[in-house]
């Protein structure tokens, strides 16, 4: 891992040398002793599982770069250690608002990283803009964040949620599935995916037979599933957060109901945890978005490839990483590249560096590509199916065809 | 029509179970006039007890029920004598209990997070039956029926306790008027301690089945369970433990009907009902009218 990060650092230095040979650098005497990275995590509440994973990935990145002397900061032409300043928002947006404010105004952090997901990122977006601070947004992908041009927001480790379901919609149309039911949590992350899916399906001539939102805290799906079954859908798509997906899949498994196709988001991100909680059998033949490390990137231009990361992370933490660990680590990598390229130590310069990196950088999550609104348009997800393999399930990418590793089992057999 | 039937039957089952979830909170409030804001955390502890019973001992989660009773005694006895008599000597026990048990709730959640992490935990799906059982042609998972059967046993047991035992009479006397009960020679402290232990035990027993009805359990689930329980007991009747059943049924049927026809709004049900009840009938559906001199 150190080797990979050194490689990344060298790349930054070389880029710096190419872009600004002999350009005036900031005086090293003015360089801070540490780069303060402010972030939040949730130890409890709806987003705790995912938030913890993302935070652990970021912490791991910081530990690795500090072991190598810190990140190279082009503005000071030297390596500087990083320090993470983190507070617990307990999955509460009101607590998060106070704490983001504290990070900006009291701790005077150099870089601001949002907590996991759209809900906890939503309160940081206006605050960061108000304080003219670039918000590094690892996994807040809600469509509402990216409606206008901004210098103060960059979604770095997950595609904007509006583009997530595009491959899924095309897969449904390709399979000639005409009766589709969509149930989604009423939050920006899930609702924007549902909206995109519906829009794309309708354009393809398929109008969902059931399309309803449920509260984000919903965990009782028994009656909902029977209501949906009454519409006789061939495919049932559920967009939720991990607790919703767990409750949905467990209820479906015990309900005696069967659908030819079911889709949920988080098995593809938290496979191990979901299998432990839901049970491999209850997840068999479910479709999901496969994410790194379940799908690997080999040809990275910055940082380690997926296999190297998995090997090093597992050795360091004694457990294999999940997607959110990857997302947290990738956030660190993107910031590292950004600091290595930004000629000045200012928020606007950081943003410009990210824009310059867009379309030219490929990390273990895939192509980094943001638009002027801060939305991530790269790092796209495919569609995969969980196929039983012994006591567990294996991920088989089924769409798009150029990325497919197998054929879908459709209709799914009754378990 | 089938959907309506399914929603109503599902709502009754869900409501009966949630009566068990909430009844301990109402019992403790009725007897001691204190608000146990850590109630949901005790429900959560019951869920984790069942999780340990299955994951560490390899037993059926139903053995979590006696464990919940033992836990109720082990935690309830010292907690009662360490906290409640002091609270009741204060000028405003209701408000103080609110603050104190908020602290207890946060402590339980923090300790459980340290011990178990933030991940959701579930119980073996087939441990309470792998099939479905139907009434009027409407099928529900076996685990729901087991949860409802245990809920009815517990609620029935509490009714028998109130109506057939000397301790139960004494408990009702304290609920009716604490000072008068004290004046008639009832050992209020002892009876209250027993009610406190019963309240926590019932919460723990309900917790055993929470992973089956809501999918999983995690250390952070307690606050939501407290809020829902609070709404249910206000709908039924604050301070009248058996009124909780009415509150539970109204909550269950209301929630399921909303899930069927207006799912986005289903979470509003307990709170809309709560506001309506407070405005129209502040003593709850089963509460006695209050006469002001």
């Amino acid at each position: 891992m150190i080797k990979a990060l050194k490689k990344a650092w060298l790349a930054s230095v070389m880029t710096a040398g190419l872009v600004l040979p002999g350009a005036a650098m900031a005086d090293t005497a003015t360089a801070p002793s540490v780069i303060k990275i402010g972030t939040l995590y949730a130890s409890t509440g709806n987003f705790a599982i995912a938030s913890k994973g993302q935070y652990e990935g970021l912490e791991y990145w910081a530990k690795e770069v500090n072991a190598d002397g810190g990140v190279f900061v082009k503005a000071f032409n030297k390596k500087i250690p990083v320090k993470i300043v983190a507070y617990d928002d307990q999955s509460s947006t009101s607590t998060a608002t106070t704490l983001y404010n504290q990070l900006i105004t009291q701790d005077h952090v150099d870089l601001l990283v949002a907590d996991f997901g759209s809900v906890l990122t939503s309160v940081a977006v206006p605050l960061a803009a108000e304080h003219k601070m670039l918000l590094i947004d690892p996994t807040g992908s809600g469509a509402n964040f990216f409606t206008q041009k901004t210098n103060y927001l960059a979604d770095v480790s997950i595609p904007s949620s509006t583009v997530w379901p595009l491959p899924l919609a095309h897969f449904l149309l390709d399979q000639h599935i005409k009766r589709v039911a969509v149930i989604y949590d009423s939050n920006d992350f899930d609702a924007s995916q549902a909206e995109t899916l519906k829009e794309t399906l309708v354009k393809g001539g398929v109008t969902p037979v059931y399309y309803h939102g449920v509260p984000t805290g919903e965990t009782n799906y028994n009656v909902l599933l029977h209501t949906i079954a009454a519409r006789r859908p061939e495919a049932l798509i559920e967009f939720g957060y991990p607790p919703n997906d767990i409750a949905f899949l467990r209820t479906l498994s015990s309900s005696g109901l069967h659908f030819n196709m079911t889709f949920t988001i988080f098995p593809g991100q938290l496979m191990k945890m979901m299998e432990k909680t839901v049970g491999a059998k209850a997840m068999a033949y479910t479709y999901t978005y496969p994410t790194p490390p379940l799908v690997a990137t080999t040809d990275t231009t910055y940082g380690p490839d997926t296999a190297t990361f998995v090997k090093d992370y597992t050795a360091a933490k004694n457990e294999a990483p999940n997607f959110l660990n990857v997302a947290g680590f990738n956030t660190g990598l993107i910031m590292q590249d950004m600091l290595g390229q930004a000629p000045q130590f200012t928020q606007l310069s950081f943003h410009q560096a990210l824009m310059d990196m867009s379309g030219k950088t490929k990390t273990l999550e895939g192509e980094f590509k943001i638009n002027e609104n801060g939305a991530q348009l790269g790092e796209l997800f495919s569609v995969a199916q969980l196929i039983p393999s012994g006591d567990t399930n294996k991920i088989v990418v089924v769409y798009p065809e150029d990325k497919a590793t197998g054929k879908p089992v459709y209709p799914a057999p009754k378990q | 029509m089938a959907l309506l039937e399914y929603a109503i039957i599902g709502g009754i089952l869900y409501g009966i179970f949630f009566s068990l979830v909430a009844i301990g909170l109402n019992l403790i409030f009725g007897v001691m006039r204190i608000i146990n804001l850590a109630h949901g955390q005790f429900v959560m502890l019951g869920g984790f007890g069942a999780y340990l019973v299955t994951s560490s001992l390899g037993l059926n989660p139903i053995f979590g029920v006696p464990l919940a009773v033992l836990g109720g005694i082990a935690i309830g006895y010292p907690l009662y004598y360490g906290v409640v008599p002091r609270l009741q000597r204060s000028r405003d026990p209701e408000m103080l209990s609110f603050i104190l048990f908020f602290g207890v709730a946060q402590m339980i959640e923090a300790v459980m997070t340290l011990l178990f992490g933030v991940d959701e935990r579930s119980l073996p799906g087939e441990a309470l039956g792998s099939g479905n059982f139907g009434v009027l042609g409407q099928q529900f998972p076996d685990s729901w029926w087991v949860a409802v059967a245990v809920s009815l046993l517990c609620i029935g047991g509490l009714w028998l306790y109130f109506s057939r035992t000397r301790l139960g009479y004494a408990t009702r006397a304290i609920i009716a008027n604490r000072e008068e009960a004290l004046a008639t020679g009832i050992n209020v402290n002892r009876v209250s301690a027993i009610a406190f232990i019963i309240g926590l035990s019932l919460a723990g027993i309900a917790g055993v089945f929470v992973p089956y009805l809501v999918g999983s359990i995690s250390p952070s689930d307690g606050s939501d369970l407290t809020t829902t329980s609070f709404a249910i007991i206000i709908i039924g009747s604050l301070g009248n433990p058996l009124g909780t059943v009415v509150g539970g049924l109204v909550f269950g049927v209301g929630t399921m009907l909303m899930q069927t026809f207006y799912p986005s709004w289903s979470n509003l049900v307990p709170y809309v009902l709560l506001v309506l009840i407070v405005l129209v009938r502040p003593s709850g559906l089963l509460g006695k009218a209050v006469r002001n001199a």
Side-chain angles (χ1 to χ4, degrees):
Chain A
M1 172 64 70
I2 298 283
K3 212 172 172 181
L5 289 171
K6 271 181 182 165
K7 200 174 126 193
W9 174 73
L10 271 173
S12 300
V13 174
M14 285 169 69
T15 315
L18 286 171
V19 175
L20 279 171
M25 300 282 185
D27 186 348
T28 50
T30 62
S33 58
V34 290
I35 305 291
K36 279 198 274 182
I37 299 173
T39 192
L40 304 183
Y41 63 91
S43 69
T44 55
N46 273 352
F47 309 112
I49 301 169
S51 172
K52 184 185 129 201
Q54 179 181 300
Y55 181 62
E56 283 172 352
L58 183 66
E59 263 190 325
Y60 172 70
W61 165 81
K63 203 176 159 196
E64 290 293 311
V65 291
N66 283 341
D68 194 34
V71 287
F72 175 73
V73 184
K74 184 182 177 186
F76 302 117
N77 196 28
K78 64 184 279 197
K79 275 189 175 184
I80 302 175
V82 298
K83 180 186 173 193
I84 295 182
V85 182
Y87 299 113
D88 181 2
D89 59 34
Q90 299 174 1
S91 297
S92 153
T93 47
S94 55
T95 309
T97 307
T98 310
L99 294 175
Y100 282 126
N101 214 15
Q102 184 168 329
L103 286 168
I104 299 169
T105 60
Q106 304 296 314
D107 298 310
H108 301 291
V109 295
D110 301 306
L111 298 170
L112 183 65
V113 177
D115 196 346
F116 162 81
S118 300
V119 175
L120 296 172
T121 301
S122 63
V123 291
V125 175
L127 260 181
E130 186 189 329
H131 290 275
K132 300 200 180 320
M133 186 111 200
L134 171 64
L135 179 67
I136 304 288
D137 164 15
T139 47
S141 57
N144 287 353
F145 303 162
F146 312 111
T147 52
Q148 57 188 18
K149 190 179 172 190
T150 175
N151 293 324
Y152 302 109
L153 177 64
D155 173 6
V156 298
S157 290
I158 213 162
S160 167
S161 55
T162 44
V163 302
W164 284 34
L166 290 174
L168 172 64
H170 293 132
F171 172 73
L172 290 163
L173 294 171
D174 269 20
Q175 292 289 315
H176 306 291
I177 295 171
K178 299 287 182 201
R179 299 184 68 83
V180 178
V182 182
I183 182 167
Y184 61 93
D185 281 12
S186 302
N187 59 62
D188 196 32
F189 166 68
D190 294 307
S192 55
Q193 288 190 65
E195 190 55 41
T196 302
L197 179 68
K198 183 182 174 187
E199 205 174 277
T200 316
L201 288 176
V202 169
K203 272 184 199 160
V206 174
T207 303
V209 294
Y210 181 95
Y211 183 83
H212 279 292
V214 294
T216 298
E218 188 59 78
T219 49
N220 174 19
Y221 285 89
N222 201 49
V223 168
L224 287 165
L225 280 169
H226 279 80
T227 311
I228 293 166
R231 309 283 175 94
R232 293 178 290 105
E234 297 162 88
L236 170 54
I237 315 297
E238 189 261 338
F239 293 127
Y241 279 112
N244 311 100
D245 289 4
I246 290 167
F248 171 83
L249 288 168
R250 280 182 65 90
T251 308
L252 180 58
S253 161
S254 64
S255 68
L257 297 170
H258 176 75
F259 300 96
N260 289 345
M261 173 184 172
T262 51
F263 176 96
T264 53
I265 295 172
F266 282 90
Q269 295 189 22
L270 299 164
M271 178 81 162
K272 204 172 145 196
M273 186 279 287
M274 293 285 290
E275 270 202 345
K276 196 171 152 195
T277 314
V278 177
K281 196 178 161 194
M283 285 166 63
Y285 301 106
T286 299
Y287 292 76
T288 188
Y289 300 125
T291 57
L294 297 173
V295 285
T297 304
T298 52
D299 52 344
T300 59
T301 61
Y302 195 83
D305 61 21
T306 312
T308 311
F309 171 75
V310 170
K311 188 170 126 265
D312 294 341
Y313 188 95
T314 309
K317 308 276 275 187
N318 286 326
E319 62 176 359
N322 59 38
F323 169 68
L324 292 154
N325 302 136
V326 175
F329 178 81
N330 188 64
T331 302
L333 269 187
I334 296 292
M335 288 193 293
Q336 186 178 349
D337 198 7
M338 175 190 82
L339 288 168
Q341 295 202 29
Q344 291 171 315
F345 199 72
T346 64
Q347 301 295 315
L348 285 177
S349 187
F350 296 157
H351 178 256
Q352 189 53 51
L354 289 178
M355 295 305 288
D356 294 342
M357 286 157 56
S358 177
K360 297 172 202 151
T361 306
K362 195 169 186 184
T363 64
L364 72 169
E365 277 205 35
E367 185 190 19
F368 174 79
K369 189 179 176 185
I370 55 170
N371 67 10
E372 59 184 12
N373 298 350
Q376 180 58 244
L377 304 178
E379 303 168 358
L380 282 177
F381 297 146
S382 320
V383 179
Q385 190 176 21
L386 304 182
I387 304 292
S389 171
D391 292 339
T392 181
N393 293 300
K394 64 174 181 185
I395 285 262
V396 174
V397 178
V398 295
Y399 192 87
E401 272 179 22
D402 60 329
K403 291 184 181 166
T405 56
K407 295 273 177 204
V409 179
Y410 182 88
K414 273 193 175 183
Q415 290 296 294
Chain B
M1 185 53 86
L3 284 179
L4 183 65
E5 271 179 31
Y6 195 86
I8 291 172
I9 296 171
I12 291 170
L13 299 180
Y14 199 62
I16 291 171
F17 173 69
F18 265 87
S19 304
L20 176 65
V21 170
I23 203 165
L25 179 64
N26 213 356
L27 176 64
I28 289 171
F29 180 81
V31 176
M32 282 150 268
R33 298 288 148 183
I34 59 172
I35 299 160
N36 177 12
L37 265 195
H39 179 77
Q41 276 71 19
F42 288 108
V43 177
M44 176 267 289
L45 284 179
F48 272 91
Y51 171 75
L52 283 179
V53 160
T54 56
S55 62
S56 301
L57 305 177
L59 298 173
N60 189 293
I62 206 81
F63 286 100
V65 172
L67 183 67
V69 176
L70 290 175
I73 297 167
I75 299 172
Y77 190 82
L79 186 61
Y80 176 85
Y81 282 104
V83 167
V84 179
R86 283 163 196 256
L87 273 178
Q88 282 172 338
R89 283 196 296 271
S90 68
R91 245 186 273 173
D92 189 355
E94 281 181 33
M95 179 49 78
L96 265 186
S97 68
F98 206 77
I99 298 164
L100 190 139
F101 280 99
F102 174 74
V104 172
Q106 296 302 308
M107 281 165 55
I108 293 173
E109 191 173 322
V111 169
M112 291 302 284
T113 304
L114 282 173
L115 291 175
F116 292 92
V118 295
D119 288 358
E120 304 280 331
R121 310 279 167 158
S122 62
L123 299 176
E126 295 173 356
L128 302 182
S130 56
N132 281 264
F133 182 75
V135 164
L136 301 174
Q138 308 300 332
Q139 304 283 323
F140 289 89
D142 291 345
S143 54
W144 278 49
W145 293 103
V146 175
V148 167
V150 172
S151 302
L152 288 174
L153 278 174
C154 289
I155 294 164
L158 191 64
W159 179 76
L160 287 174
Y161 173 76
F162 280 142
S163 58
R164 297 277 191 277
T165 68
R166 289 175 65 84
L167 268 174
Y169 297 150
T171 310
R172 283 166 58 196
I174 297 171
I175 291 173
N177 192 314
R178 191 176 182 86
E179 280 69 36
E180 281 181 17
L182 198 62
T184 56
I186 292 172
N187 186 341
V188 170
N189 220 16
R190 182 169 157 262
V191 174
S192 297
I194 291 169
F196 192 74
I197 288 168
I198 293 174
L200 296 196
S201 300
L202 290 170
I205 292 170
V208 171
F209 302 97
V210 163
Y212 288 102
L213 274 91
V214 303
S216 59
I217 189 95
S218 84
S220 56
D221 288 346
S223 305
D224 282 350
L225 288 163
T226 302
T227 314
T228 305
S229 302
F230 207 65
I232 287 171
I233 66 174
I234 290 175
I235 294 166
S237 171
L238 194 61
N240 174 0
L242 297 177
T244 312
V245 180
V246 175
L249 289 172
V250 172
F251 161 74
V253 173
T255 302
M256 294 302 159
L257 286 174
M258 286 298 275
Q259 274 202 349
T260 303
F261 300 107
Y262 301 99
S264 308
W265 301 88
S266 59
N267 264 20
L268 275 182
V269 167
Y271 310 108
V272 169
L273 288 170
L274 184 148
V275 170
L276 286 175
I277 293 291
V278 168
L279 288 175
V280 177
R281 196 175 163 84
S283 54
L285 290 175
L286 279 200
K288 289 177 186 161
V290 178
R291 189 183 63 190
N292 293 313

